Amino acid sequence: MKKINQEAKKNMQKSLAHSLSNRIFHLIARFAPGSRSLRPFLHKLRGVKINGEIFIGDEVYIENEYPELVEINDDARLTLRSTIIAHMRGPGKVIICKKVYVGPHCFIGPSSGQTLTIGEGSVLAAGSVITKSVPPYTFV
């Protein structure tokens, strides 16, 4: 019985340590310089899937609890104070395809269990609220 409790505590501590480091990297990434270098690197460390070179503007909030459910592809641009949440009432998934522009103050959040895809070359205007997939080369 003691072994089981010790193993459970050890797993919980790993989980807590991982959660804390994730939040610290996220906080640094929101305010640090390096929109094409340091910020994407810190988000990769957190578990966000980043493929290619991307731009992450100031104070961009990318899923804190499940960063591995967010995928951002080459030449995507996330601008000032945009928010990407991969879970509402349960985990979903967010895929931002190549050459997507996410304007300032956009909110992207899928329904529980759904995959929300922002298609290649799409533009999300400032203040957009996106809860459903966007086709490629679409202005929202």
Side-chain angles (χ1 to χ4, degrees):
M1 189 76 151
K2 278 189 173 181
K3 274 191 174 181
I4 294 171
N5 288 337
Q6 287 174 348
E7 287 179 34
K9 282 183 181 180
K10 189 176 179 181
N11 289 337
M12 189 172 167
Q13 287 173 344
K14 283 183 184 177
S15 174
L16 180 61
H18 177 70
S19 181
L20 286 174
S21 67
N22 176 28
R23 290 174 192 269
I24 289 168
F25 287 146
H26 191 225
L27 186 62
I28 294 169
R30 287 183 65 194
F31 300 102
S35 56
R36 291 189 178 272
S37 56
L38 182 58
R39 289 180 194 154
F41 174 73
L42 289 169
H43 284 296
K44 274 187 180 181
L45 288 178
R46 296 179 53 237
V48 177
K49 296 174 187 134
I50 297 177
N51 305 313
E53 187 176 316
I54 66 168
F55 175 93
I56 300 176
D58 293 340
E59 297 184 46
V60 171
Y61 183 94
I62 300 175
E63 178 61 47
N64 218 8
E65 194 65 31
Y66 304 103
E68 64 278 0
L69 297 176
V70 177
E71 180 180 333
I72 306 170
N73 289 291
D74 196 32
D75 206 23
R77 299 166 192 268
L78 310 175
T79 61
L80 183 67
R81 294 188 183 120
S82 294
T83 301
I84 300 170
I85 300 291
H87 74 286
M88 293 299 195
R89 293 187 175 156
K93 187 172 183 173
V94 176
I95 300 172
I96 298 176
C97 295
K98 294 179 181 182
K99 300 179 182 177
V100 168
Y101 176 84
V102 178
H105 299 277
C106 284
F107 174 83
I108 300 170
S111 298
S112 176
Q114 301 296 310
T115 298
L116 186 152
T117 303
I118 309 295
E120 182 176 344
S122 293
V123 174
L124 309 180
S128 297
V129 176
I130 309 298
T131 58
K132 304 228 184 274
S133 291
V134 175
Y137 303 100
T138 302
F139 178 79
V140 179

